[in-house]
Amino acid sequence: MKMISKIAKASLGLVFLGSSSVFAQSLADAKKAIDAEQYQKAESMLKTLTTTQPAKDENFFYLGWVYIKQDYSDSAKVVFNKGIAANPKSALNYAGLGAVARLDKDNAGATTNFNQAVALAGKDAKPYTYVGLSYLLPTTTDKKIAPADADAAIAVLTKGKAINAKDVDLLIALGDAYRSVLKSNEAYSNYSDASTLDPKNPAAKVATGVLYKFANNFDGSEQQFKDALAINANYGPAYREWAETDLRWSLTDPKMASAKIKEAVDHYKQYLSLTDQSVESQMRYADFLILAGDYKTLQQVTTDLSKSAGSNARVYRYLAYAAFENKDYQNGLTAINTWFQKADPKRIIPRDYLYQGRLQMATGQDSIGINTLKKALELDSTQTDVYGEIAKALYHQKKYEQAGDAYRQVTLKAGRNVKLTDYFYEGISYYFGYDEKKPNADSLLVRADSAFSYVNQKSPTTADGYLYRAYVNDMKEKDRNNINGYAKPFYEKYIELVTAKGAADDKTKKSLANAYAYLGTYYEYKEKDDAKATENFTKARESDPTNKQAVAFFQRKGGAGKSK
């Protein structure tokens, strides 16, 4: 019996050892699926593991990390807390809670949880890796990493490297952190060390390829992706990064644009086929289509996704963006309003207000749209192009003074994006907004004159710049019977530029007649030079026989100086 008992115990031990091996392998498989961006597969595996091994906090962490990667931070938070409930000293799950706090823009909460993760990490470098990766999670629409976040990632990952300099995942993360602040040599060194330690790791090759991409070394980048696929032909991220490299290549080299965009689409489709056809994969495809500016395909993809039960609400954001760019304004407005209704307020970004405002104005809701665009500017003052959109809308609404103020913001804040026409419309807006009954009337004329003066300086052959400057200066005359001639030099310059171009069109002829009529009035009343007055009024009538000032002049003169 004792022998049988010993055999039974031994057998039982083997069973448990075997089971442990299976579970360990299952977690390893789940981690491989995460690395390969097969998130649906990883999620399914990890949900099983958290049920069969509820005491293992690591299972909960990786499930939460999958949710982070799928943009479900609320679900991630729940799972990380379960991991801490399973093990109150779970450094990884505290790192996860820090990641959620960062995405929620709770910097204090992020710092507290990251510090706790590091304090509990001991000699385990993994928590350091994921704190570093959490700092590298994008929190803005342009997905750029703030230098302060990159520095924080570098600091914590360097501490982790001191604990375990052979942790390949940590080295790749450290390389990514250095790459985000353009420290290419340091990034390459860490990627190279990772590849040396694990020559069969495709992620290190892909990371090196991305580094080369940002240096516009496209041939070198492409080779790294091929090397990664030689290691693992089914490694999807290599195709995704290859697609994004093709896209950058197309923007950098116009001769290659058509071919590279086609390659990019093909590579991205290959990526999708190797990950999964889940909603999350399709959303990543939508991200790519936005980068590619392919709004036609984006609208098709997001329209289909919006019909799928349980879709990520973010699909309505992308559907709205695409519909606007495709001039499908009503559907776009419906989509953006749906996004605002469904989204957690923390997930609303300035760009959402920007598109909502544009769609509102495009569907005739100008006043509401302007207020929405102003909201976008309050949240992100760097979107200086929005001032132009607001200005244009106000101008069409004939709210000229407000339009002038908006164009003034463009000229003051848009930097290199300022166009000469912005100054021109600033001047026109203030000119049309002038009302002598208002207390600030003269200040509008000063601003208008300043704007047109800038146009004159930068484009001295633009006739309309002088014409409108003449109009503005004519308004400065307080006594029409005793004019000072403020507008005279500008009308003269306008006439010089227009007549030098040869025959004028009908619209220009009327403006030319106004210029000559002003000079006629000046010489008649200011200089008392009847010959000069007659000469200019004659030219005014020749340009436009219906010009009222010219008609009145010749009526006073009894028909003298009739045109031929």
Side-chain angles (χ1 to χ4, degrees), residues 291-470:
L291 288 173
D294 187 352
Y295 292 103
K296 182 178 179 181
T297 304
L298 179 62
Q299 188 167 358
Q300 293 170 353
V301 170
T302 51
T303 297
D304 290 341
L305 281 172
S306 68
K307 298 173 184 176
S308 174
S311 280
N312 189 321
R314 189 159 49 98
V315 71
Y316 292 101
R317 168 192 281 164
Y318 289 167
L319 178 54
Y321 291 4
F324 173 80
E325 299 295 344
N326 293 327
K327 297 182 170 54
D328 185 6
Y329 300 126
Q330 192 57 58
N331 282 329
L333 184 61
T334 299
I336 198 67
N337 288 341
T338 302
W339 164 243
F340 272 90
Q341 291 164 9
K342 288 179 174 289
D344 184 320
K346 297 190 296 287
R347 313 300 285 172
I348 302 297
I349 58 176
R351 194 179 187 188
D352 297 335
Y353 287 104
L354 177 61
Y355 272 94
Q356 186 182 44
R358 287 170 171 171
L359 287 161
Q360 287 166 339
M361 290 196 298
T363 52
Q365 302 175 55
D366 286 348
S367 297
I368 296 173
I370 289 169
N371 288 333
T372 305
L373 289 181
K374 288 180 178 178
K375 175 71 173 179
L377 274 173
E378 287 174 12
L379 296 171
D380 184 2
S381 60
T382 64
Q383 297 287 334
T384 51
D385 288 349
V386 181
Y387 287 112
E389 295 182 51
I390 292 172
K392 186 177 180 181
L394 289 167
Y395 185 86
H396 285 302
Q397 287 185 320
K398 299 184 179 179
K399 296 179 179 178
Y400 296 119
E401 185 178 345
Q402 293 178 48
D405 290 343
Y407 276 118
R408 185 172 174 79
Q409 291 300 313
V410 176
T411 59
L412 289 173
K413 297 181 178 180
R416 294 182 180 180
N417 294 324
V418 179
K419 300 182 289 294
L420 199 59
T421 52
D422 294 324
Y423 285 94
F424 189 79
Y425 274 101
E426 179 189 345
I428 287 180
S429 297
Y430 283 131
Y431 165 67
F432 284 129
Y434 174 75
D435 183 347
E436 62 182 4
K437 297 177 183 178
K438 292 183 178 180
N440 66 334
D442 289 346
S443 67
L444 296 190
L445 292 181
V446 172
R447 290 180 183 179
D449 189 56
S450 176
F452 289 126
S453 173
Y454 186 87
V455 174
N456 294 163
Q457 293 171 34
K458 295 298 180 179
S459 183
T461 60
T462 299
D464 281 351
Y466 293 97
L467 177 64
Y468 276 96
R469 196 172 183 197

Side-chain angles (χ1 to χ4, degrees), residues 73-325:
S73 59
D74 289 342
S75 298
K77 185 176 182 178
V78 171
V79 174
F80 292 140
N81 278 318
K82 287 182 178 179
I84 291 171
N87 177 8
K89 295 184 178 181
S90 176
L92 279 173
N93 281 289
Y94 277 109
L97 287 177
V100 172
R102 273 204 75 246
L103 293 174
D104 288 342
K105 297 181 173 58
D106 176 9
N107 292 330
T111 300
T112 298
N113 283 294
F114 289 152
N115 288 343
Q116 184 72 347
V118 169
L120 293 169
K123 296 298 182 180
D124 183 2
K126 281 296 177 206
Y128 289 88
T129 300
Y130 281 95
V131 170
L133 288 172
S134 297
Y135 276 116
L136 299 178
L137 291 171
T139 59
T140 58
T141 50
D142 60 13
K143 297 190 176 182
K144 291 181 179 178
I145 308 302
D149 289 332
D151 289 343
I154 291 168
V156 73
L157 289 166
T158 300
K159 290 178 181 178
K161 187 175 180 179
I163 292 170
N164 184 359
K166 295 183 178 181
D167 187 315
V168 171
D169 292 337
L170 187 147
L171 292 173
I172 294 172
L174 184 54
D176 291 347
Y178 278 122
R179 190 187 73 216
S180 70
V181 286
L182 306 180
K183 294 185 176 180
S184 300
N185 290 336
E186 292 89 341
Y188 179 80
S189 176
N190 281 282
Y191 294 150
S192 180
D193 287 347
S195 282
T196 300
L197 288 166
D198 185 1
K200 295 298 183 181
N201 190 316
K205 298 291 185 184
V206 169
T208 306
V210 174
L211 181 67
Y212 289 164
K213 173 183 74 174
F214 287 113
N216 289 348
N217 178 5
F218 300 119
D219 290 325
S221 182
E222 197 172 63
Q223 186 58 54
Q224 290 295 319
F225 301 139
K226 289 178 179 178
D227 290 347
L229 291 167
I231 295 169
N232 180 355
N234 296 319
Y235 191 65
Y239 282 106
R240 178 178 56 75
E241 291 293 356
W242 197 347
E244 292 179 7
T245 298
D246 283 332
L247 181 59
R248 184 180 175 95
W249 198 340
S250 74
L251 297 172
T252 306
D253 187 351
K255 294 179 181 179
M256 300 287 286
S258 180
K260 288 300 169 185
I261 288 174
K262 183 179 182 302
E263 278 185 28
V265 173
D266 290 342
H267 286 138
Y268 212 97
K269 287 179 179 177
Q270 185 71 7
Y271 162 72
L272 287 174
S273 72
L274 291 172
T275 53
D276 48 48
Q277 293 297 326
S278 66
V279 169
E280 287 70 31
S281 291
Q282 293 294 319
M283 289 301 296
R284 290 196 293 278
Y285 185 35
D287 289 333
F288 170 76
L289 291 171
I290 284 183
L291 288 173
D294 187 352
Y295 292 103
K296 182 178 179 181
T297 304
L298 179 62
Q299 188 167 358
Q300 293 170 353
V301 170
T302 51
T303 297
D304 290 341
L305 281 172
S306 68
K307 298 173 184 176
S308 174
S311 280
N312 189 321
R314 189 159 49 98
V315 71
Y316 292 101
R317 168 192 281 164
Y318 289 167
L319 178 54
Y321 291 4
F324 173 80
E325 299 295 344

Side-chain angles (χ1 to χ4, degrees), residues 31-42:
K31 290 164 72 173
K32 285 180 181 178
I34 294 172
D35 181 50
E37 299 181 9
Q38 296 170 335
Y39 297 127
Q40 192 174 48
K41 177 181 177 182

Side-chain angles (χ1 to χ4, degrees), residues 13 22 50 108 143 364 404 428 430 487-488 523:
V22 169
T50 56
K143 297 190 176 182
I428 287 180
Y430 283 131
K488 181 175 179 288
Y523 284 113

Side-chain angles (χ1 to χ4, degrees), residues 431 466-475 487 491 511 514:
Y431 165 67
Y466 293 97
L467 177 64
Y468 276 96
R469 196 172 183 197
Y471 290 164
V472 168
N473 279 273
D474 190 24
M475 283 186 167
Y491 274 126
S511 298
N514 289 334

